[in-house]
Structures are given as C-alpha cells and as structure tokens.
Amino acid sequence: MQKRDWLIFLAVAVFLAIFPFIAARISAISHYIDIMVFAGIFSIVSLGLCMLMGYAGQVSMAQAAFFGIGAYTSGILTSHFHWHPLPAIPIGCLLSAAVAWLVGVPALRLKGHYLAMATLGFGEIVHIVLNQEVEWTGGPSGLVDIPSLKILGVRISSEEAWYYIVWTAALCTLIFCFNVLRSRVGRALRAIHEEETAADAMGVPTARFKLQVFVLSAVLAAIAGSFYTHYVTFLNPGTFDLMWSIRFVLMVMLGGVQSLWGAVLGTVLLTFIGNEWLRVFADFDILVYGAILLLVALFLPDGLVSIFPKGRSASGNV
Amino acid sequence: MSAESPISAAVDGQAGPPLLELKDVQMMFGGVMALRGVNHRVIAGRINSVIGPNGAGKTTLFNCISGLLKPTEGGVYLDGERIDGLPPHRIAQMGVSRTFQHVALFKHMTVLENVMVGRHPRTRSGFLAAGFRFPGMRREEGLIREEALSHLEFVGMGDLADIPAGSLPLGKQKILEIARALATGPKLVLLDEPAGGLNMKETEELGELIQRVCGKGVTVLLVEHDMNLVMDISHHILVLYFGEPLTEGPPSEVKANPAVIRAYLGESLTDPPAASSK
Ligand SMILES: Nc1ncnc2c1ncn2[C@@H]1O[C@H](COP(=O)(O)OP(=O)(O)OP(=O)(O)O)[C@@H](O)[C@H]1O
Ligand SMILES: [Mg+2]
C-alpha cells in the first residue's frame, strides 16, 4: 500500500473501531452493528470479486454460490458431523477452490466473457442442489442446529464480538488484496486487462492468471460464507441465488470496479440500502437494484470512489 | 555499420545452426493466403530484416513466430525446437520477444511498470508470496525494479520512468516497446516497424539503438518500411512479396536486385498470384 492508502486505512480502522460504541448509545441506530456485521462479511466477498472484475476483467455471476458452498460446508460439517467450526472453514475453501477451478478452466481458456455465462449456469446448479438435497441441506426449509463460532473455547455470541472479528478479517483481506495488486502478480493482471495480447507476448500466462484470481475470489467468498453460517446459525437457499450474485456484482460496481476501497464502500452502502433504507421496497428489490445499476452506469461509470479527490498515481488507483 | 561489415561477411556463409528456422510456413485466413510457404533461417548475432510491400505478410510472419497465430502448415523452430502451436507466453519464456506495429503498451501503467511486466517470464512470485509479502518476493520485487530501470536507461528513457505510458509521444512509445521486449531477456527480438511515426532524428537514434541491442548479443529480426534504415543497419534481408520470399541476401545484393526494385515500384513481376489461387 502507498502512503495515501495507509492514511485512509488508519482513518477507516479508527472509525470502525469506535462505531459500535457510538451506535450502542443511540437507540435509533443500535441495530446498525448487526447490519455492519453483514456488511463486513459481504465485503470479503466483494473484495475478491473486485479483483476479478476490476483487474482480471472477468465477471462472475456465481459469487453467491461460492458463498453458499462455504456456508453449507461449514453448516453441514458442524451440524451433521459436530465438527468444530474452525477446521470446517478450510474445507469449505478447498471445496470452493476446486469447484471454481473446474468451472474456470474451460471458461477462461477462451478470450471474452465466457466466465459470466458459465458461472450463470453454475450458480443455478448450486441453487438447485441446495434446494433438492434435503437430507443434507434441509432444502427450502433450511439448515438448522448450526453452532455458533468458538475460538479458544470461547463462544462468540455478542454482536460486538462478531463485528470486530468480521471487520478484522475484512481489513486483513483488504491488505492482502492491496499487496497482490502492488506486485508482479498485480502488474500482470493489469497488463492482461489493458492489452491481453501484449501481456501474453511478454510472457504472462493470461489464462492461468485469470483462473487464479477466479479461484481466489471463490475462496474469499467461501470464507465469508463460513462466517455467515455461524453468525446467523441458520441457512436457507434463498441467500445463495442469482439475485445475491447480482447484488455482489452491484456492490463492486457501485463503489468502483477498479478500487478495493470502492468495493468495501459499495458493499456497506448496498447492505444498508437492502436491509434498512429501502426496506419498504423489499418486494421490488430487483427494480431498486436495476435502477441503482442504471444510475451508476450512466453517471458514475467509475463508481462512487470517483467523486473523491484522486490521489491516483499512474500506477492505478488500487 | 554497413552490409560489408566483417560480421555479415563472416555469417553470410550460413555458418552454424540457425537460431530460428521457418520451414514451409503457410498462413491462411479464410480464403486468403497471407503466407504461401516461407522457408527462412535466422542466424544468431546479427540484424536480420524482412521487407516487402504493404500486405506482403510481414506482420503475419511475426505473429506466427511469436505464437499469436498458429501457422496453417509448416513449422517454426527455435534452436532446433519446434515452437509453432505453443502459446505466446511459452515462446516468450523460451526467448522470443517482440514489439507491435500498432503500439500495444499498457497505457494506464507507468513507463517503468510496463518494463517491469517484461520481467515476468524471468521471475516467479505468485499470489500467496505477494499477498503476504514474503521476504523472497520483496527481494525479487526490488530486483525487478532495478532491472527494469536499467533497461529504460539502456534505451535512454530513464528520466520518464514514472509517467503513464499512454501520455508519451508516439516516438517514445515505440522505444518503450523495445525496452519492454528487452526486459523479457530474449535471444531473439522481433521489431515490427519500429520507425513508423518517428521523425528523421528519432529514426537515426533508433538505428543506433537497434545496433546496440544486437551488440548485446540479442538477435534482431526487423520489419521496416524505412529503406534507408534497413539498408544501413541490416546484415541480411529477406524480401517478402505476396506471402512468398522473393529473394534474400545482404543489403547491397537486395538493393540491386531488379525483381525487388520492380516489386517496390508496384509493378507486377509476373502476375501476383491471385488471393485464392490454391
Ligand atoms: N487476422 C487476419 N484475418 C484476415 N486476414 C488477415 C489477418 N491478418 C492479416 N491478414 C491479411 O494477410 C495479409 C498480410 O497482412 P500483414 O499484416 O501480414 O501484412 P504486412 O506485410 O505486415 O503489411 P504492412 O506493411 O501494411 O504492415 C493481408 O492481405 C491482410 O489483409
Ligand atoms: Mg505489418
């Protein structure tokens, strides 16, 4: 990260650290802590998706499915098999990575947007499986009896504790992504995004890099899914359908596809929009999201971060 | 340096195995035969040029060598190893790099970063090493930066390192492409019309640069329309005409060849083979 990013990081970290104290004292927004837990979880998903969309130039319409693979792996292992929650998390990551690899290999070998189509179909399959495999997933009526998270024997149950865990994880993910982008790998990704043919001729294995970013995004989504499982302790296939995948894409676009900060900002805003500010439109959410998408595309093609003063170096506003 | 230099005299006897060998390379686009069976050997250590009128198939030949196209027929051999059909990044890894006739820089990246991308095939840090900033990755990153800078200085652009590549004037962009290509550590570099869009002074400097590249031991294959430049610096010239070699030899011979003169005056030698006559 560059100096400017560290300053933003510090400011954001301080704000996040004191936010629960403020929210707890104002009853009108005391439930914001709960919403922020979700926003933190979703941020981990959208950071991965931002890497894929903004830097590998590919769109995935199945992030909710990878989120679901992580969530249900954790849910099933801890409820049916009574695993401890922590070892279940890497299993979900591995499974998600393996599946992403299988979907990505054929789709990313071709230039163009085949990944969007492939993931559209794949996401639908996951949704069907979650609904149909009643014995394992509980089907449409949901998966219950999921224990809450335990770390070093301590049960994490308060909203505040979750808030701090989730946002620590999100900020660590953010730093990880920043580091990747400011490296040989990040340069290769940006090169692919700008001039794929030239990148290839300069020795960058373009298909492999796109695949790796896709797998990374799937792993991050799975980690977030595991957090989600143990926070809500109840899973229902509805959270893992196409609509949610679109929401993740929208979070990234709202903030600005080429900005990791934008991904977090877009996620927080859209989570509040969906859970709080525009709740009255719940039955029309597809219209609301469609309208947001349209407005962003028309007036803010570079997302909300583009309205902030640019400390943008030529090295890209990562 | 001219054609009569000792180097060209020494190597013109086709001594030693070729660095690059094209065996009956054909390229067909739908019904259009862009290359109609090109046989050619590129000898290491010198400046080899390919000339020919517009549409002769020069760029197509470069694309076949660098892996952007797979020849419809025939084979491309680098140091005796067959490379046609391999993906471009593998061929780059094996030591063939190139520039593009239509500049293909990473415009939003800095001049230095463009060259740093060129170090890709000679370095290895991956996602995890980068994400967690392992010590090995940090050391490598420092090296990449240093090496990239030295390549920039080699082409005389060290002072432009931090500006976006897209904001350079065209002449500088062409030179930057050469620096980026050299950064991959090539044995053979393909330059596709590097003088296109350059003024006279720049073209002269380019000629010197290409000679210095060759002096470093990098074999050059040059496509260029600027005949003064080509005749000045080439050791060996291949003339392509409608996808076929017309003749080849040292500049003095090629320059004097009546068939070449006619081809360049736009006169049909025999009737140029019609596009779909095969
Ligand atoms: N991708 C392609 N699809 C179809 N035809 C092509 C393609 N690339 C090249 N051609 C055709 O192949 C022939 C050779 O083109 P090429 O670009 O190799 O010529 P060139 O010698 O580089 O010409 P110039 O000096 O104008 O750059 C032309 O007739 C061109 O139209
Ligand atoms: Mg050409």
PDB file of all heavy atoms in Angstrom, chain B residues 101-131:
ATOM      1  N   GLN B 101       3.443  -3.428 -34.369  1.00  0.00           N
ATOM      2  CA  GLN B 101       3.318  -2.376 -35.377  1.00  0.00           C
ATOM      3  C   GLN B 101       2.393  -1.270 -34.878  1.00  0.00           C
ATOM      4  O   GLN B 101       2.700  -0.099 -34.987  1.00  0.00           O
ATOM      5  CB  GLN B 101       2.770  -2.993 -36.668  1.00  0.00           C
ATOM      6  CG  GLN B 101       2.601  -2.005 -37.795  1.00  0.00           C
ATOM      7  CD  GLN B 101       2.207  -2.694 -39.098  1.00  0.00           C
ATOM      8  OE1 GLN B 101       2.184  -3.920 -39.186  1.00  0.00           O
ATOM      9  NE2 GLN B 101       1.899  -1.908 -40.105  1.00  0.00           N
ATOM     10  N   HIS B 102       1.238  -1.689 -34.321  1.00  0.00           N
ATOM     11  CA  HIS B 102       0.347  -0.723 -33.688  1.00  0.00           C
ATOM     12  C   HIS B 102       0.611  -0.818 -32.205  1.00  0.00           C
ATOM     13  O   HIS B 102       0.301  -1.832 -31.591  1.00  0.00           O
ATOM     14  CB  HIS B 102      -1.107  -1.036 -34.023  1.00  0.00           C
ATOM     15  CG  HIS B 102      -1.348  -1.090 -35.500  1.00  0.00           C
ATOM     16  ND1 HIS B 102      -1.351   0.043 -36.281  1.00  0.00           N
ATOM     17  CD2 HIS B 102      -1.526  -2.133 -36.348  1.00  0.00           C
ATOM     18  CE1 HIS B 102      -1.536  -0.304 -37.548  1.00  0.00           C
ATOM     19  NE2 HIS B 102      -1.641  -1.616 -37.617  1.00  0.00           N
ATOM     20  N   VAL B 103       1.191   0.236 -31.668  1.00  0.00           N
ATOM     21  CA  VAL B 103       1.676   0.218 -30.288  1.00  0.00           C
ATOM     22  C   VAL B 103       0.691  -0.474 -29.342  1.00  0.00           C
ATOM     23  O   VAL B 103      -0.499  -0.182 -29.340  1.00  0.00           O
ATOM     24  CB  VAL B 103       1.927   1.660 -29.810  1.00  0.00           C
ATOM     25  CG1 VAL B 103       2.300   1.678 -28.350  1.00  0.00           C
ATOM     26  CG2 VAL B 103       3.026   2.293 -30.647  1.00  0.00           C
ATOM     27  N   ALA B 104       1.196  -1.414 -28.571  1.00  0.00           N
ATOM     28  CA  ALA B 104       0.342  -2.155 -27.637  1.00  0.00           C
ATOM     29  C   ALA B 104       0.937  -2.082 -26.234  1.00  0.00           C
ATOM     30  O   ALA B 104       1.240  -3.089 -25.620  1.00  0.00           O
ATOM     31  CB  ALA B 104       0.180  -3.603 -28.100  1.00  0.00           C
ATOM     32  N   LEU B 105       1.075  -0.853 -25.754  1.00  0.00           N
ATOM     33  CA  LEU B 105       1.580  -0.678 -24.389  1.00  0.00           C
ATOM     34  C   LEU B 105       0.431  -0.799 -23.400  1.00  0.00           C
ATOM     35  O   LEU B 105      -0.742  -0.759 -23.783  1.00  0.00           O
ATOM     36  CB  LEU B 105       2.230   0.701 -24.254  1.00  0.00           C
ATOM     37  CG  LEU B 105       3.562   0.873 -24.975  1.00  0.00           C
ATOM     38  CD1 LEU B 105       3.961   2.342 -24.984  1.00  0.00           C
ATOM     39  CD2 LEU B 105       4.644   0.024 -24.323  1.00  0.00           C
ATOM     40  N   PHE B 106       0.790  -0.945 -22.117  1.00  0.00           N
ATOM     41  CA  PHE B 106      -0.216  -0.889 -21.058  1.00  0.00           C
ATOM     42  C   PHE B 106      -0.330   0.583 -20.686  1.00  0.00           C
ATOM     43  O   PHE B 106       0.414   1.095 -19.864  1.00  0.00           O
ATOM     44  CB  PHE B 106       0.210  -1.762 -19.886  1.00  0.00           C
ATOM     45  CG  PHE B 106       0.701  -3.124 -20.330  1.00  0.00           C
ATOM     46  CD1 PHE B 106       1.985  -3.557 -20.036  1.00  0.00           C
ATOM     47  CD2 PHE B 106      -0.119  -3.954 -21.077  1.00  0.00           C
ATOM     48  CE1 PHE B 106       2.443  -4.800 -20.467  1.00  0.00           C
ATOM     49  CE2 PHE B 106       0.327  -5.191 -21.520  1.00  0.00           C
ATOM     50  CZ  PHE B 106       1.608  -5.608 -21.215  1.00  0.00           C
ATOM     51  N   LYS B 107      -1.279   1.272 -21.324  1.00  0.00           N
ATOM     52  CA  LYS B 107      -1.290   2.735 -21.321  1.00  0.00           C
ATOM     53  C   LYS B 107      -1.467   3.365 -19.956  1.00  0.00           C
ATOM     54  O   LYS B 107      -0.958   4.434 -19.694  1.00  0.00           O
ATOM     55  CB  LYS B 107      -2.403   3.235 -22.253  1.00  0.00           C
ATOM     56  CG  LYS B 107      -2.142   2.968 -23.709  1.00  0.00           C
ATOM     57  CD  LYS B 107      -3.042   3.836 -24.577  1.00  0.00           C
ATOM     58  CE  LYS B 107      -2.748   3.612 -26.044  1.00  0.00           C
ATOM     59  NZ  LYS B 107      -2.948   2.192 -26.461  1.00  0.00           N
ATOM     60  N   HIS B 108      -2.253   2.705 -19.108  1.00  0.00           N
ATOM     61  CA  HIS B 108      -2.520   3.320 -17.804  1.00  0.00           C
ATOM     62  C   HIS B 108      -1.478   2.960 -16.760  1.00  0.00           C
ATOM     63  O   HIS B 108      -1.558   3.407 -15.627  1.00  0.00           O
ATOM     64  CB  HIS B 108      -3.910   2.937 -17.309  1.00  0.00           C
ATOM     65  CG  HIS B 108      -4.992   3.378 -18.239  1.00  0.00           C
ATOM     66  ND1 HIS B 108      -5.346   4.692 -18.375  1.00  0.00           N
ATOM     67  CD2 HIS B 108      -5.759   2.693 -19.116  1.00  0.00           C
ATOM     68  CE1 HIS B 108      -6.302   4.797 -19.288  1.00  0.00           C
ATOM     69  NE2 HIS B 108      -6.565   3.595 -19.755  1.00  0.00           N
ATOM     70  N   MET B 109      -0.514   2.157 -17.157  1.00  0.00           N
ATOM     71  CA  MET B 109       0.561   1.842 -16.228  1.00  0.00           C
ATOM     72  C   MET B 109       1.733   2.774 -16.522  1.00  0.00           C
ATOM     73  O   MET B 109       1.835   3.321 -17.623  1.00  0.00           O
ATOM     74  CB  MET B 109       0.961   0.374 -16.391  1.00  0.00           C
ATOM     75  CG  MET B 109      -0.183  -0.553 -16.014  1.00  0.00           C
ATOM     76  SD  MET B 109       0.047  -2.277 -16.492  1.00  0.00           S
ATOM     77  CE  MET B 109       1.269  -2.802 -15.321  1.00  0.00           C
ATOM     78  N   THR B 110       2.617   2.937 -15.535  1.00  0.00           N
ATOM     79  CA  THR B 110       3.729   3.855 -15.774  1.00  0.00           C
ATOM     80  C   THR B 110       4.703   3.223 -16.762  1.00  0.00           C
ATOM     81  O   THR B 110       4.662   2.029 -17.036  1.00  0.00           O
ATOM     82  CB  THR B 110       4.509   4.167 -14.488  1.00  0.00           C
ATOM     83  OG1 THR B 110       5.118   2.972 -14.023  1.00  0.00           O
ATOM     84  CG2 THR B 110       3.609   4.754 -13.417  1.00  0.00           C
ATOM     85  N   VAL B 111       5.583   4.087 -17.283  1.00  0.00           N
ATOM     86  CA  VAL B 111       6.631   3.643 -18.186  1.00  0.00           C
ATOM     87  C   VAL B 111       7.429   2.506 -17.524  1.00  0.00           C
ATOM     88  O   VAL B 111       7.651   1.452 -18.114  1.00  0.00           O
ATOM     89  CB  VAL B 111       7.543   4.840 -18.530  1.00  0.00           C
ATOM     90  CG1 VAL B 111       8.828   4.385 -19.193  1.00  0.00           C
ATOM     91  CG2 VAL B 111       6.787   5.829 -19.420  1.00  0.00           C
ATOM     92  N   LEU B 112       7.809   2.735 -16.267  1.00  0.00           N
ATOM     93  CA  LEU B 112       8.606   1.728 -15.564  1.00  0.00           C
ATOM     94  C   LEU B 112       7.818   0.428 -15.391  1.00  0.00           C
ATOM     95  O   LEU B 112       8.342  -0.663 -15.619  1.00  0.00           O
ATOM     96  CB  LEU B 112       9.050   2.263 -14.202  1.00  0.00           C
ATOM     97  CG  LEU B 112       9.939   1.314 -13.395  1.00  0.00           C
ATOM     98  CD1 LEU B 112      11.256   1.062 -14.114  1.00  0.00           C
ATOM     99  CD2 LEU B 112      10.213   1.862 -11.999  1.00  0.00           C
ATOM    100  N   GLU B 113       6.550   0.545 -15.008  1.00  0.00           N
ATOM    101  CA  GLU B 113       5.743  -0.663 -14.800  1.00  0.00           C
ATOM    102  C   GLU B 113       5.603  -1.481 -16.086  1.00  0.00           C
ATOM    103  O   GLU B 113       5.576  -2.708 -16.052  1.00  0.00           O
ATOM    104  CB  GLU B 113       4.358  -0.288 -14.271  1.00  0.00           C
ATOM    105  CG  GLU B 113       4.347   0.057 -12.799  1.00  0.00           C
ATOM    106  CD  GLU B 113       2.987   0.514 -12.315  1.00  0.00           C
ATOM    107  OE1 GLU B 113       2.324   1.291 -13.041  1.00  0.00           O
ATOM    108  OE2 GLU B 113       2.587   0.108 -11.235  1.00  0.00           O
ATOM    109  N   ASN B 114       5.508  -0.791 -17.205  1.00  0.00           N
ATOM    110  CA  ASN B 114       5.454  -1.507 -18.479  1.00  0.00           C
ATOM    111  C   ASN B 114       6.669  -2.402 -18.642  1.00  0.00           C
ATOM    112  O   ASN B 114       6.553  -3.565 -19.025  1.00  0.00           O
ATOM    113  CB  ASN B 114       5.384  -0.516 -19.639  1.00  0.00           C
ATOM    114  CG  ASN B 114       3.962  -0.181 -20.036  1.00  0.00           C
ATOM    115  OD1 ASN B 114       3.383  -0.833 -20.890  1.00  0.00           O
ATOM    116  ND2 ASN B 114       3.384   0.822 -19.395  1.00  0.00           N
ATOM    117  N   VAL B 115       7.836  -1.840 -18.342  1.00  0.00           N
ATOM    118  CA  VAL B 115       9.058  -2.626 -18.487  1.00  0.00           C
ATOM    119  C   VAL B 115       9.110  -3.715 -17.414  1.00  0.00           C
ATOM    120  O   VAL B 115       9.587  -4.825 -17.653  1.00  0.00           O
ATOM    121  CB  VAL B 115      10.297  -1.713 -18.417  1.00  0.00           C
ATOM    122  CG1 VAL B 115      11.562  -2.509 -18.673  1.00  0.00           C
ATOM    123  CG2 VAL B 115      10.175  -0.593 -19.440  1.00  0.00           C
ATOM    124  N   MET B 116       8.581  -3.400 -16.222  1.00  0.00           N
ATOM    125  CA  MET B 116       8.562  -4.403 -15.155  1.00  0.00           C
ATOM    126  C   MET B 116       7.731  -5.623 -15.559  1.00  0.00           C
ATOM    127  O   MET B 116       8.069  -6.757 -15.226  1.00  0.00           O
ATOM    128  CB  MET B 116       8.035  -3.792 -13.851  1.00  0.00           C
ATOM    129  CG  MET B 116       9.030  -2.821 -13.198  1.00  0.00           C
ATOM    130  SD  MET B 116       8.314  -1.866 -11.840  1.00  0.00           S
ATOM    131  CE  MET B 116       8.540  -2.959 -10.447  1.00  0.00           C
ATOM    132  N   VAL B 117       6.628  -5.380 -16.276  1.00  0.00           N
ATOM    133  CA  VAL B 117       5.836  -6.517 -16.762  1.00  0.00           C
ATOM    134  C   VAL B 117       6.712  -7.399 -17.648  1.00  0.00           C
ATOM    135  O   VAL B 117       6.616  -8.623 -17.619  1.00  0.00           O
ATOM    136  CB  VAL B 117       4.590  -6.053 -17.545  1.00  0.00           C
ATOM    137  CG1 VAL B 117       3.891  -7.228 -18.216  1.00  0.00           C
ATOM    138  CG2 VAL B 117       3.619  -5.322 -16.630  1.00  0.00           C
ATOM    139  N   GLY B 118       7.607  -6.757 -18.402  1.00  0.00           N
ATOM    140  CA  GLY B 118       8.508  -7.517 -19.258  1.00  0.00           C
ATOM    141  C   GLY B 118       9.380  -8.505 -18.495  1.00  0.00           C
ATOM    142  O   GLY B 118       9.792  -9.526 -19.037  1.00  0.00           O
ATOM    143  N   ARG B 119       9.640  -8.234 -17.214  1.00  0.00           N
ATOM    144  CA  ARG B 119      10.458  -9.167 -16.427  1.00  0.00           C
ATOM    145  C   ARG B 119       9.673 -10.412 -16.034  1.00  0.00           C
ATOM    146  O   ARG B 119      10.241 -11.336 -15.431  1.00  0.00           O
ATOM    147  CB  ARG B 119      10.984  -8.484 -15.148  1.00  0.00           C
ATOM    148  CG  ARG B 119      12.054  -7.430 -15.378  1.00  0.00           C
ATOM    149  CD  ARG B 119      13.234  -7.941 -16.164  1.00  0.00           C
ATOM    150  NE  ARG B 119      14.023  -8.962 -15.486  1.00  0.00           N
ATOM    151  CZ  ARG B 119      14.813  -9.849 -16.105  1.00  0.00           C
ATOM    152  NH1 ARG B 119      14.919  -9.832 -17.412  1.00  0.00           N
ATOM    153  NH2 ARG B 119      15.488 -10.749 -15.428  1.00  0.00           N
ATOM    154  N   HIS B 120       8.398 -10.436 -16.358  1.00  0.00           N
ATOM    155  CA  HIS B 120       7.539 -11.525 -15.887  1.00  0.00           C
ATOM    156  C   HIS B 120       8.092 -12.933 -16.128  1.00  0.00           C
ATOM    157  O   HIS B 120       8.176 -13.731 -15.205  1.00  0.00           O
ATOM    158  CB  HIS B 120       6.135 -11.393 -16.485  1.00  0.00           C
ATOM    159  CG  HIS B 120       5.128 -12.245 -15.799  1.00  0.00           C
ATOM    160  ND1 HIS B 120       4.333 -11.794 -14.773  1.00  0.00           N
ATOM    161  CD2 HIS B 120       4.836 -13.555 -15.942  1.00  0.00           C
ATOM    162  CE1 HIS B 120       3.593 -12.778 -14.331  1.00  0.00           C
ATOM    163  NE2 HIS B 120       3.858 -13.858 -15.026  1.00  0.00           N
ATOM    164  N   PRO B 121       8.497 -13.241 -17.361  1.00  0.00           N
ATOM    165  CA  PRO B 121       8.925 -14.629 -17.601  1.00  0.00           C
ATOM    166  C   PRO B 121      10.230 -15.000 -16.897  1.00  0.00           C
ATOM    167  O   PRO B 121      10.597 -16.159 -16.882  1.00  0.00           O
ATOM    168  CB  PRO B 121       9.088 -14.695 -19.123  1.00  0.00           C
ATOM    169  CG  PRO B 121       9.211 -13.299 -19.574  1.00  0.00           C
ATOM    170  CD  PRO B 121       8.463 -12.454 -18.591  1.00  0.00           C
ATOM    171  N   ARG B 122      10.928 -14.039 -16.327  1.00  0.00           N
ATOM    172  CA  ARG B 122      12.194 -14.352 -15.642  1.00  0.00           C
ATOM    173  C   ARG B 122      12.054 -14.269 -14.132  1.00  0.00           C
ATOM    174  O   ARG B 122      13.044 -14.286 -13.413  1.00  0.00           O
ATOM    175  CB  ARG B 122      13.302 -13.385 -16.101  1.00  0.00           C
ATOM    176  CG  ARG B 122      13.506 -13.368 -17.600  1.00  0.00           C
ATOM    177  CD  ARG B 122      14.184 -14.637 -18.129  1.00  0.00           C
ATOM    178  NE  ARG B 122      14.079 -14.695 -19.584  1.00  0.00           N
ATOM    179  CZ  ARG B 122      13.433 -15.657 -20.244  1.00  0.00           C
ATOM    180  NH1 ARG B 122      12.849 -16.651 -19.587  1.00  0.00           N
ATOM    181  NH2 ARG B 122      13.356 -15.638 -21.557  1.00  0.00           N
ATOM    182  N   THR B 123      10.842 -14.128 -13.627  1.00  0.00           N
ATOM    183  CA  THR B 123      10.617 -14.020 -12.182  1.00  0.00           C
ATOM    184  C   THR B 123       9.480 -14.954 -11.795  1.00  0.00           C
ATOM    185  O   THR B 123       8.850 -15.558 -12.664  1.00  0.00           O
ATOM    186  CB  THR B 123      10.260 -12.562 -11.797  1.00  0.00           C
ATOM    187  OG1 THR B 123       9.268 -12.070 -12.710  1.00  0.00           O
ATOM    188  CG2 THR B 123      11.480 -11.668 -11.868  1.00  0.00           C
ATOM    189  N   ARG B 124       9.197 -15.086 -10.459  1.00  0.00           N
ATOM    190  CA  ARG B 124       8.264 -16.149 -10.119  1.00  0.00           C
ATOM    191  C   ARG B 124       7.256 -15.920  -9.008  1.00  0.00           C
ATOM    192  O   ARG B 124       6.351 -16.736  -8.819  1.00  0.00           O
ATOM    193  CB  ARG B 124       9.058 -17.418  -9.823  1.00  0.00           C
ATOM    194  CG  ARG B 124      10.287 -17.170  -8.949  1.00  0.00           C
ATOM    195  CD  ARG B 124      11.079 -18.454  -8.768  1.00  0.00           C
ATOM    196  NE  ARG B 124      10.184 -19.516  -8.367  1.00  0.00           N
ATOM    197  CZ  ARG B 124      10.457 -20.806  -8.475  1.00  0.00           C
ATOM    198  NH1 ARG B 124      11.616 -21.187  -8.947  1.00  0.00           N
ATOM    199  NH2 ARG B 124       9.583 -21.716  -8.075  1.00  0.00           N
ATOM    200  N   SER B 125       7.359 -14.848  -8.237  1.00  0.00           N
ATOM    201  CA  SER B 125       6.447 -14.694  -7.096  1.00  0.00           C
ATOM    202  C   SER B 125       4.982 -14.788  -7.515  1.00  0.00           C
ATOM    203  O   SER B 125       4.564 -14.159  -8.472  1.00  0.00           O
ATOM    204  CB  SER B 125       6.657 -13.336  -6.418  1.00  0.00           C
ATOM    205  OG  SER B 125       7.970 -13.243  -5.953  1.00  0.00           O
ATOM    206  N   GLY B 126       4.209 -15.568  -6.755  1.00  0.00           N
ATOM    207  CA  GLY B 126       2.794 -15.743  -7.075  1.00  0.00           C
ATOM    208  C   GLY B 126       1.897 -15.046  -6.070  1.00  0.00           C
ATOM    209  O   GLY B 126       2.347 -14.211  -5.276  1.00  0.00           O
ATOM    210  N   PHE B 127       0.613 -15.408  -6.116  1.00  0.00           N
ATOM    211  CA  PHE B 127      -0.398 -14.761  -5.284  1.00  0.00           C
ATOM    212  C   PHE B 127      -0.071 -14.770  -3.800  1.00  0.00           C
ATOM    213  O   PHE B 127      -0.143 -13.733  -3.137  1.00  0.00           O
ATOM    214  CB  PHE B 127      -1.750 -15.443  -5.490  1.00  0.00           C
ATOM    215  CG  PHE B 127      -2.487 -14.934  -6.672  1.00  0.00           C
ATOM    216  CD1 PHE B 127      -2.200 -15.416  -7.937  1.00  0.00           C
ATOM    217  CD2 PHE B 127      -3.462 -13.965  -6.528  1.00  0.00           C
ATOM    218  CE1 PHE B 127      -2.874 -14.934  -9.035  1.00  0.00           C
ATOM    219  CE2 PHE B 127      -4.139 -13.471  -7.620  1.00  0.00           C
ATOM    220  CZ  PHE B 127      -3.847 -13.965  -8.879  1.00  0.00           C
ATOM    221  N   LEU B 128       0.260 -15.927  -3.265  1.00  0.00           N
ATOM    222  CA  LEU B 128       0.466 -16.014  -1.821  1.00  0.00           C
ATOM    223  C   LEU B 128       1.691 -15.227  -1.402  1.00  0.00           C
ATOM    224  O   LEU B 128       1.654 -14.457  -0.443  1.00  0.00           O
ATOM    225  CB  LEU B 128       0.586 -17.480  -1.396  1.00  0.00           C
ATOM    226  CG  LEU B 128      -0.720 -18.265  -1.492  1.00  0.00           C
ATOM    227  CD1 LEU B 128      -0.535 -19.682  -0.994  1.00  0.00           C
ATOM    228  CD2 LEU B 128      -1.829 -17.572  -0.689  1.00  0.00           C
ATOM    229  N   ALA B 129       2.778 -15.407  -2.143  1.00  0.00           N
ATOM    230  CA  ALA B 129       4.009 -14.678  -1.826  1.00  0.00           C
ATOM    231  C   ALA B 129       3.752 -13.177  -1.865  1.00  0.00           C
ATOM    232  O   ALA B 129       4.224 -12.433  -1.004  1.00  0.00           O
ATOM    233  CB  ALA B 129       5.116 -15.057  -2.809  1.00  0.00           C
ATOM    234  N   ALA B 130       2.961 -12.734  -2.843  1.00  0.00           N
ATOM    235  CA  ALA B 130       2.686 -11.304  -2.984  1.00  0.00           C
ATOM    236  C   ALA B 130       1.736 -10.831  -1.887  1.00  0.00           C
ATOM    237  O   ALA B 130       1.961  -9.814  -1.241  1.00  0.00           O
ATOM    238  CB  ALA B 130       2.098 -11.015  -4.361  1.00  0.00           C
ATOM    239  N   GLY B 131       0.661 -11.582  -1.661  1.00  0.00           N
ATOM    240  CA  GLY B 131      -0.358 -11.181  -0.693  1.00  0.00           C
ATOM    241  C   GLY B 131       0.200 -11.070   0.713  1.00  0.00           C
ATOM    242  O   GLY B 131      -0.158 -10.169   1.471  1.00  0.00           O
TER     243      GLY B 131
END
